[in-house]
């Protein structure tokens, strides 16, 4: 069991996390924007998350918390 | 489930003013992680530059001083000489450290000041809107090199780690990058080593971090990372340029 | 009290150490280098830091760093070097840091010369760096005053959290006079509410900073600083009034020039001319009350300076242009003689 949570209001939609995920389950969705107007990142398949925290390590805004 | 990754304590829980994808945020975080892991936040004084990271004083939870453009190493010298038991670091960009502050950079290393210098090399002036930096690559288009940097007109880039490594007071000169997870891990290790050097009183430790500036490069954050890998790393090879085992000064006094 | 024969520059250094100055950062320049040399010899024995910086710019920024941690810090230079320090002085003022800066003036502009001058009056009192700010500026006229004013400068700097300048000149720096050092107990100013010396997990982090991106915040910080300046103008002015009670001609001079002028005033009195001397000891704040007191019976004022007359405007403003203000000066390192000054007194006195 592992889980990544995006702090959506901190996300600036840079997409660097999406390149870091080894499971390719982090994406920049294109429907919802946060208050600053950024499309924020989401985990598309929580069941596949291994809690490696690479997405969080790549995030310049400390906008991802990882639990395991 | 337990939290396995979250914001380090010495990084204040506020949004930063940095552009989307700007790697300052990554470097801030790994620096703060090192401060947390060493438990030294209460004994650390940071010195900010002039440039995009000028407001880093609002992000780090340790005491912070904002220096004039290029003068952070001099300010840090004043802090460290009067507070030798405290940890002192500067955080400087390329214009700050390698252009207007070159003299301060060279002499802080020559004197072997026992401090840490974090040097962000992103080949451009960010805060002022994308002008040529001392590290701008030949051919690179900036606001002040609109036809690409022509070395015949604008000279060549400065390779700071290599230059600083030639100075006797330098304990560590290492170039790292924050373009990938393995490199970020290496960068953090280098910063940790720099602070451990300071703890051991070894001398000046400089960690040069190849970084991106998506906004002023005119690239997306992901494209910017690719440019760092394809264009910057070949010109600025990663690696350890100097790493002394013992301190830079002889133990029992006398000449080097 | 013990009296020592000391050179002005060395007396400045010794007084600073006794006043609790814990670090000196400097760069060699004539005619103040003896100060740094003295510090190099004495400072480490006194448990402090002496460091020869790579430049004047680095030196003043080292002062900024040390002062940020709550330590008494000082730098010294001479005119061209002080110009280089001006950026740092502005940052020190903008960051509300206490620091002492000494200028042992020489002739300018440019590389100028190495002989005494007072041509940095404007720089010290009006424009030692960009932005709205002031320094308290003390003008000693003897080696003893070098000592006394350095002690005062450190106290004022800590009291008001601002840079303070000793505006001396090459003549005072190089000459020797007997001095005594007062018992000094460096006042324990509590800096714990702002010093950036490591929070030790016992308080919020401190930020030393002069950047305010929001105009109204910057305006407020400047306006608050000017409220402090108002108090200083009210309380910190100092001047010597010599034979001013009945004088017809009031000579105005500061620093080494005032010594020359005092001789000329005495010579004039011997010849029956009622001359007096007003000598500001603080150039900023300018002693407005004191000069009005000194000038109350005077018919004309004569400013004598080692410059082209940089103090004249301040005198005119202080007396509200109520009386004529004449000027006599030498510049470029030339020191006016009592004979020259007496000639001027007679020239002006003859018209009274």
């Amino acid at each position: 069991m592992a889980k990544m949570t995006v702090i959506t209001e901190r996300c600036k939609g840079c997409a660097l996390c999406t390149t870091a995920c080894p499971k390719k389950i982090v994406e920049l969705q294109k429907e919802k924007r946060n208050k600053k107007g950024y499309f924020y990142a989401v985990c598309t398949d929580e069941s596949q998350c291994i809690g490696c925290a690479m997405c969080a390590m790549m995030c310049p805004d400390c906008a991802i918390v990882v639990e395991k | 489930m337990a939290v396995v990754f979250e914001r380090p304590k010495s990084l204040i829980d506020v949004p930063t003013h940095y552009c989307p994808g700007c790697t300052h945020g990554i470097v801030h975080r790994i620096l703060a992680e090192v401060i947390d892991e060493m438990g030294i936040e209460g004994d650390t004084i940071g010195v900010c530059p002039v440039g995009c990271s000028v407001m880093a004083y609002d992000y780090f939870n340790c005491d912070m001083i904002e220096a004039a453009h290029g003068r952070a190493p001099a300010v840090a010298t004043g802090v460290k000489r009067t507070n030798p038991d405290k940890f002192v670091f500067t955080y400087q960009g390329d214009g700050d450290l390698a252009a207007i502050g070159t003299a301060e950079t060279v002499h802080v290393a020559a004197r072997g000041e026992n401090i840490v210098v974090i040097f962000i090399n992103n080949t451009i002036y960010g805060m002022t809107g994308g002008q040529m930096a001392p590290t701008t690559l030949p051919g690179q288009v900036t606001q002040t090199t609109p036809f690409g940097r022509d070395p015949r007109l604008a000279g060549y880039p400065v390779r700071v780690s290599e230059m600083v490594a030639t100075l006797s007071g330098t304990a560590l000169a290492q170039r790292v990058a924050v373009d990938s997870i393995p490199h970020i891990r290496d960068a953090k290790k280098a910063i940790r080593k720099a602070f451990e050097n300071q703890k051991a009183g070894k001398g000046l430790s400089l960690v040069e971090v190849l970084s991106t500036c998506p906004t002023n490069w005119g690239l997306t954050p992901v494209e910017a990372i690719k440019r760092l890998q394809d264009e910057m790393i070949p010109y600025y090879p990663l690696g350890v340029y100097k790493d002394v085992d013992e301190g830079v000064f002889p133990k029992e006094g006398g000449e080097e | 009290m013990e009296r020592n024969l000391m050179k002005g520059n060395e007396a400045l250094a010794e007084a600073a150490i006794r006043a609790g100055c814990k670090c000196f950062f400097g760069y060699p320049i004539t005619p103040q280098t003896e100060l740094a040399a003295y510090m190099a010899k004495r400072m480490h024995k006194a448990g402090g830091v002496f460091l020869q910086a790579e430049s004047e710019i680095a030196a003043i920024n080292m002062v900024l760093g040390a002062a940020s941690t709550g330590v008494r810090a000082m730098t010294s230079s001479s005119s061209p070097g002080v110009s280089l320090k001006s950026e740092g002085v502005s940052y020190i003022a903008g960051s509300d840091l206490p620091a002492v800066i000494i200028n042992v003036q020489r002739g300018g502009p440019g590389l100028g010369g190495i002989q005494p001058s007072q041509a940095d009056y404007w720089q010290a009192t009006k424009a030692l760096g960009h932005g709205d700010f002031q320094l308290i500026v003390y003008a000693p006229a003897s080696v003893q005053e070098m000592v006394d004013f350095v002690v005062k400068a450190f106290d004022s700097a800590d009291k008001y959290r601002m840079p303070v300048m000793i505006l001396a000149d090459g003549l005072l720096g190089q000459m020797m006079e007997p001095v005594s050092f007062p018992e000094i107990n460096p006042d324990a100013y509590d800096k714990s509410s702002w010093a950036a010396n490591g929070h030790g997990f016992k308080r919020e982090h401190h930020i030393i900073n002069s950047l305010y991106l929001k105009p109204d915040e910057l305006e407020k910080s400047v306006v608050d600083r000017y409220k402090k300046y108002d108090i200083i103008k009210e309380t910190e002015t100092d001047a010597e009034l010599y034979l001013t009670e009945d004088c017809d001609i009031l000579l105005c001079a500061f620093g080494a020039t005032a010594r020359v002028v005092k001789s000329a005033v005495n010579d004039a009195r011997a010849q029956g001319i009622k001359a007096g001397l007003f000598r500001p000891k603080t150039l900023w704040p300018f002693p407005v009350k004191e000069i009005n007191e000194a000038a109350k019976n005077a018919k004309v004022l004569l400013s004598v300076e080692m410059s082209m007359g940089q103090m004249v405007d301040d005198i005119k403003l202080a007396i509200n242009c109520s009386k004529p203000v004449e000027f006599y000066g030498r510049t470029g390192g030339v020191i006016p003689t009592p004979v020259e000054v007496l000639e001027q007194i007679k020239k002006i006195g003859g018209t009274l």
Side-chain angles (χ1 to χ4, degrees):
Chain A
M1 259 299 265
K3 188 182 169 198
M4 69 83 87
T5 309
V6 177
I7 307 165
T8 53
E9 287 309 318
R10 288 290 166 82
C11 178
K12 292 175 183 165
C14 73
L16 293 187
C17 54
T18 66
T19 66
C21 178
K23 296 288 177 185
K24 305 287 171 212
I25 52 167
V26 184
E27 262 182 24
L28 218 54
Q29 48 80 33
K30 291 284 170 197
E31 278 144 29
K32 281 193 234 162
R33 297 174 190 264
N34 63 16
K35 281 183 194 143
K36 288 214 170 93
Y38 295 118
F39 289 119
Y40 49 83
V42 293
C43 179
T44 54
D45 186 356
E46 267 184 29
S47 67
Q48 281 201 60
C49 179
I50 54 171
C52 67
M54 287 190 188
C55 54
M57 269 187 259
M58 201 66 208
C59 176
D61 293 284
C62 289
I64 300 173
V65 176
V66 181
E67 292 162 286
K68 203 174 177 179
Chain B
M1 281 199 295
V3 171
V4 292
F5 192 100
E6 63 180 340
R7 161 187 294 276
K9 298 274 178 289
S10 56
L11 200 61
I12 300 173
D13 191 7
V14 289
T16 67
H17 69 289
Y18 300 119
C19 300
C22 169
T23 46
H24 267 311
I26 299 176
V27 186
H28 279 23
R29 192 192 68 239
I30 57 178
L31 173 53
E33 285 172 357
V34 167
I35 291 172
D36 278 8
E37 285 163 18
M38 291 177 73
I40 57 173
E41 184 197 305
D43 295 318
T44 299
I45 297 131
V47 185
C48 310
V50 169
C52 283
S53 49
V54 63
M55 283 177 288
Y57 52 75
D58 281 334
Y59 306 142
F60 289 100
N61 221 349
C62 54
D63 281 356
M64 297 294 289
I65 301 169
E66 204 288 296
H69 201 20
R71 317 299 173 218
V75 172
T77 297
V79 175
K80 185 69 180 183
R81 290 286 179 125
T82 48
N83 297 268
D85 300 335
K86 299 285 159 65
F87 289 87
V88 182
F89 72 87
T90 71
Y91 188 103
Q92 303 173 258
D94 37 28
D96 191 90
L97 181 141
I100 199 165
T102 311
E104 282 79 0
T105 305
V106 167
H107 287 278
V108 81
R111 285 195 305 269
E113 292 295 344
N114 190 31
I115 63 166
V116 172
V117 173
I118 307 293
F119 167 43
I120 306 300
N121 176 356
N122 63 4
T123 74
I124 205 153
Y125 282 74
M127 186 65 122
T128 45
Q131 297 78 29
M132 182 186 76
T135 48
T136 291
L137 296 176
Q140 184 179 340
V141 172
T142 71
Q143 204 181 68
T144 49
T145 54
F147 312 109
R149 180 178 190 164
D150 179 354
R152 286 169 300 184
L153 292 174
Y156 288 100
V158 179
R159 289 186 174 98
V160 170
S161 290
E162 289 87 334
M163 177 180 77
V164 167
T166 65
L167 297 163
S168 303
T170 301
L172 176 72
Q174 184 170 349
R175 185 181 290 120
V176 297
V178 286
D179 59 301
S180 65
I181 299 300
H183 282 166
I184 290 171
R185 287 200 171 107
D186 289 348
K188 184 174 164 184
K189 272 185 214 153
I191 292 172
R192 173 75 188 236
K193 183 172 210 170
F195 276 87
E196 294 288 355
N197 280 356
Q198 185 169 175
K199 193 173 184 180
K202 283 189 179 178
L204 189 274
S205 295
L206 178 138
V207 179
E208 174 177 350
V209 187
L210 300 186
S211 299
T212 65
C213 181
T215 300
N216 288 303
W217 291 358
L219 300 174
T220 67
V222 174
E223 289 166 348
I225 291 286
K226 194 162 179 341
R227 175 184 180 257
L228 189 163
Q229 292 164 340
D230 294 348
E231 296 178 32
M232 284 178 70
I233 292 178
Y235 201 92
Y236 296 113
L238 305 184
V240 178
Y241 289 89
K242 190 174 180 192
D243 182 11
V244 299
D245 292 329
E246 303 293 323
V248 297
F249 300 111
K251 278 217 165 19
E252 302 291 322
E255 299 298 311
E256 187 190 359
Chain C
M1 199 181 278
E2 188 195 356
R3 278 167 79 77
N4 303 300
L5 187 66
M6 283 188 95
K7 203 171 193 177
N9 283 333
E10 295 184 341
L12 285 167
E14 180 62 29
I17 291 169
R18 291 185 188 218
C21 174
K22 284 291 167 217
C23 51
F24 175 87
F25 303 102
Y27 186 87
I29 182 169
T30 306
Q32 65 78 51
T33 306
E34 294 86 355
L35 200 168
Y38 190 92
M39 285 290 193
K41 252 190 304 191
R42 267 280 277 135
M43 200 44 131
H44 73 281
K45 284 183 200 148
V49 176
F50 165 83
L51 184 61
Q52 180 172 327
E54 65 270 28
S55 68
E56 303 281 7
I57 299 168
I60 189 71
N61 283 286
M62 289 171 186
V63 167
L64 186 151
S68 295
T69 71
V71 168
R72 282 193 162 179
M74 180 171 110
T75 185
S76 73
S77 190
S78 181
S79 309
V82 174
S83 292
L84 282 167
K85 290 187 196 297
S86 64
E87 174 199 50
V89 174
S90 175
Y91 277 71
I92 287 170
S95 307
D96 294 313
L97 291 171
V100 174
I101 300 119
I102 291 175
N103 183 359
V104 181
Q105 294 169 95
R106 58 187 254 185
L111 201 47
I114 58 169
Q115 297 301 320
S117 166
Q118 296 179 319
D120 301 344
Y121 178 96
W122 276 338
Q123 185 194 50
T125 60
K126 314 268 186 264
L128 191 43
H130 60 282
D132 285 317
F133 77 93
Q134 293 284 351
L135 293 89
I136 296 176
V137 182
Y138 292 107
S142 65
V143 178
Q144 184 62 53
E145 279 191 348
M146 299 277 233
V147 170
D148 298 341
F149 289 179
V150 163
V151 176
K152 224 173 181 175
F154 275 105
D155 281 339
S156 300
D158 279 348
K159 186 173 172 187
Y160 297 109
R161 279 181 68 184
M162 64 185 283
V164 176
M165 171 166 276
I166 306 283
L167 191 67
D169 60 62
L171 202 146
L172 292 166
Q174 294 298 323
M175 71 187 208
M176 293 182 86
E177 279 184 329
V179 287
S180 57
F181 291 92
E183 275 304 311
I184 299 164
N185 294 316
D187 275 1
Y189 289 91
D190 183 13
K191 302 176 181 178
S192 62
S193 65
W194 58 267
N197 55 354
H199 60 57
F201 298 102
K202 289 179 186 134
R203 56 162 170 80
E204 292 287 293
H205 78 144
H206 286 163
I207 299 170
I208 304 291
N209 176 37
S210 61
L211 177 70
Y212 299 82
L213 285 176
K214 293 181 179 142
D216 49 345
E217 287 177 13
L218 177 56
E219 183 185 52
K220 186 184 180 308
S221 83
V222 172
V223 169
D224 286 349
R225 211 168 283 125
Y226 271 70
K227 286 179 190 154
K228 183 166 76 182
Y229 295 163
D230 284 341
I231 296 168
I232 294 167
K233 282 197 231 174
E234 206 50 51
T235 56
E236 299 292 339
T237 57
D238 196 4
E240 179 191 357
L241 275 55
Y242 179 71
L243 303 178
T244 57
E245 199 51 41
D246 62 342
C247 71
D248 292 325
I249 302 183
L250 180 66
L251 284 91
C252 306
F254 66 94
T257 310
R259 300 165 70 107
V260 174
V261 171
K262 203 177 234 183
S263 297
V265 165
N266 288 336
D267 294 345
R269 287 271 171 178
Q271 297 185 23
I273 304 169
K274 284 185 184 170
L277 167 66
F278 164 75
R279 174 171 76 87
K281 296 181 187 176
T282 54
L283 301 180
W284 195 92
F286 195 77
V288 175
K289 280 184 300 231
E290 291 86 341
I291 193 171
N292 279 294
E293 167 65 21
K296 65 185 174 195
N297 294 318
K299 297 182 178 71
V300 61
L301 284 73
L302 170 63
S303 184
V304 183
E305 304 173 47
M306 287 192 280
S307 76
M308 292 304 285
Q310 298 189 11
M311 189 169 64
V312 172
D313 289 350
D314 278 348
I315 296 170
K316 286 182 177 173
L317 279 172
I319 63 164
N320 224 348
C321 291
S322 57
K323 291 167 188 184
V325 180
E326 306 288 341
F327 168 70
Y328 178 72
R330 301 297 303 265
T331 196
V334 183
I335 303 163
T337 65
V339 174
E340 289 169 27
V341 177
L342 183 60
E343 246 172 61
Q344 294 298 316
I345 294 173
K346 284 178 172 170
K347 206 161 99 187
I348 296 165
T351 65
L352 292 176

